[in-house]
Amino acid sequence: METVVVNEVGPRDGLQNESAQVTPGDRAELIRRLVATGIPAVEVASFVSPKAVPKMAGADEVVAALDLDAADFSALVPNMKGYEMARAAGARAVAVVLSATDTMNRKNINMDLTTTLRVCSEILEQARRDGISGRAYVSVAVTCPFEGRVPEFRVLDLTRRMFAAGAFEVTIADTIGAANPSQVKELFTALVEEFGARRLAAHFHDTRALALANAWQALECGIRKFDSSIGGLGGCPFAPGAAGNLATEDLVSLLHQAGFHTGIDLEALLEVVTHVRSLVGHDVGGRTLPWLRSRHAAA
Ligand code: COA
Ligand code: ZN
């Protein structure tokens, strides 16, 4: 049975966009519950300005509260200051964020594309010297909410540069959920051809109800690592139109039905969805949830 790695991003991409302020202690508890279901990797926090993203305040407390041997934990860092804070907190893996367009970088992290490229490269180089794993996102990789369709050659070029700077993995992100499976096929075919599937991961949002279809398409292109978010939480506060992420329960359900191994206990995941609802104070859940719950009740 082939294994697919799920990188849970709900504690970061999900909670950053919620109106509820979830405390660092509750975020660490959520991460522990996620790991207890068998999830192997979690993006636990972002070391960003609390003025820009108040919901991520206390990222250092989240990292400090975790058993770092329990899973592959990473933290998002937007600049060198964030990197240094993550390192000081004890993070063993970081993710830098490079948006594929100039405007998106400015809106997200107040730097133009050229500066962001330099900063991301410097962080990846420093991480390598520090023995910290460095991963890179190439976000708005298909469509930018400000500049529209992103040319494929640009995504290939930025990915190439992130690997050259020392990224061990590049995650290609459809940040606003505007991609369709034929675009995914074209982009990931080109990416896999140049970089190989093993160093790439995919990140989809479900804005147009195509996240699962896009994940399937990336899987067909050979991708075996996906970001997803428990209960389908998510969105980027700086990217208009970004709705929830691909829900972890939808992804895992798809993968198990198609015969892939994830190591994740889907029944246990459903209980975490209920827990998330109590944290954020509203209904959450992927599109497969009603079916999963009825199957659970019948068993
Ligand atoms: N973490 C915490 N604080 C930070 C920081 C970081 N990584 N980087 C800068 N700051 C602080 C500075 O110390 C300064 O604080 P002060 O006002 O108390 O002096 C303030 O933020 C402004 O610093 P500056 O370097 O001028 O940053 P900026 O205003 O240009 O904002 C970012 C740049 C990157 C800090 C900000 O845009 C940000 O945090 N963006 C995150 C976006 C995000 O998380 N998007 C979703 C995930 S992709
Ligand atoms: Zn996202």
Side-chain angles (χ1 to χ4, degrees):
M1 226 188 215
E2 244 195 297
T3 297
V4 172
V5 176
V6 173
N7 180 42
E8 168 64 47
V9 297
R12 197 279 301 170
D13 209 7
L15 293 181
Q16 73 177 9
N17 209 42
E18 286 293 323
S19 49
Q21 183 81 39
V22 183
T23 65
D26 284 348
R27 275 143 62 197
E29 171 60 19
L30 168 61
I31 293 159
R32 277 192 289 272
R33 289 184 189 225
L34 288 162
V35 170
T37 71
I39 288 177
V42 185
E43 190 168 88
V44 299
S46 52
F47 286 84
V48 298
S49 160
K51 281 181 201 149
V53 189
K55 304 297 151 55
M56 288 292 103
D60 51 345
E61 292 172 60
V62 175
V63 174
L66 296 171
D67 167 10
L68 297 182
D69 293 325
D72 175 11
F73 294 127
S74 61
L76 186 148
V77 297
N79 56 14
M80 195 53 89
K81 181 180 168 100
Y83 171 73
E84 278 162 6
M85 291 167 73
R87 182 181 56 191
R92 294 180 186 169
V94 295
V96 297
V97 188
L98 176 63
S99 295
T101 66
D102 200 57
T103 317
M104 189 63 222
N105 282 296
R106 289 176 195 271
K107 299 274 183 191
N108 192 36
I109 55 174
N110 199 23
M111 290 186 254
D112 61 25
L113 177 54
T114 310
T115 310
T116 311
L117 251 176
R118 179 175 51 74
V119 168
C120 287
S121 302
E122 284 169 3
I123 293 172
L124 291 169
E125 284 155 14
Q126 186 59 47
R128 179 165 266 201
R129 286 193 287 275
D130 293 337
I132 290 175
S133 299
R135 188 161 62 81
Y137 280 104
V138 174
S139 33
V140 297
V142 178
T143 301
C144 169
F146 306 103
E147 296 190 22
R149 190 78 168 91
V150 173
E152 188 180 296
F153 70 83
R154 177 138 10 118
V155 178
L156 287 165
D157 180 50
L158 298 178
T159 303
R160 201 175 294 130
R161 286 168 189 254
M162 291 297 93
F163 281 129
F168 79 89
E169 182 178 277
V170 175
T171 302
I172 305 299
D174 175 27
T175 309
I176 61 169
N180 66 54
S182 65
Q183 293 165 336
V184 168
K185 182 176 183 181
E186 214 179 296
L187 179 59
F188 278 87
T189 299
L191 285 161
V192 168
E193 192 179 299
E194 178 166 348
F195 306 107
R198 291 285 158 196
R199 295 195 292 164
L200 296 166
H203 176 115
F204 295 113
H205 283 253
D206 206 28
T207 317
R208 303 187 191 186
L210 289 176
L212 267 181
N214 288 336
W216 181 256
Q217 189 57 73
L219 200 69
E220 291 265 272
C221 292
I223 301 300
R224 293 292 180 268
K225 186 168 180 185
F226 292 87
D227 284 2
S228 64
S229 173
I230 186 77
L233 291 179
C236 173
F238 308 100
N245 287 61
L246 168 59
T248 305
E249 58 275 23
D250 284 352
L251 174 65
V252 173
S253 169
L254 167 73
L255 293 170
H256 289 184
Q257 288 179 69
F260 289 94
H261 173 78
T262 65
I264 299 168
D265 177 345
L266 201 43
E267 309 280 311
L269 209 55
L270 297 187
E271 286 166 32
V272 186
V273 174
T274 307
H275 176 69
V276 169
R277 182 177 302 172
S278 73
L279 286 179
V280 299
H282 62 82
D283 221 10
V284 295
R287 286 183 290 137
T288 191
L289 201 63
W291 176 71
L292 287 174
R293 286 210 196 285
S294 66
R295 198 185 60 155
H296 187 46

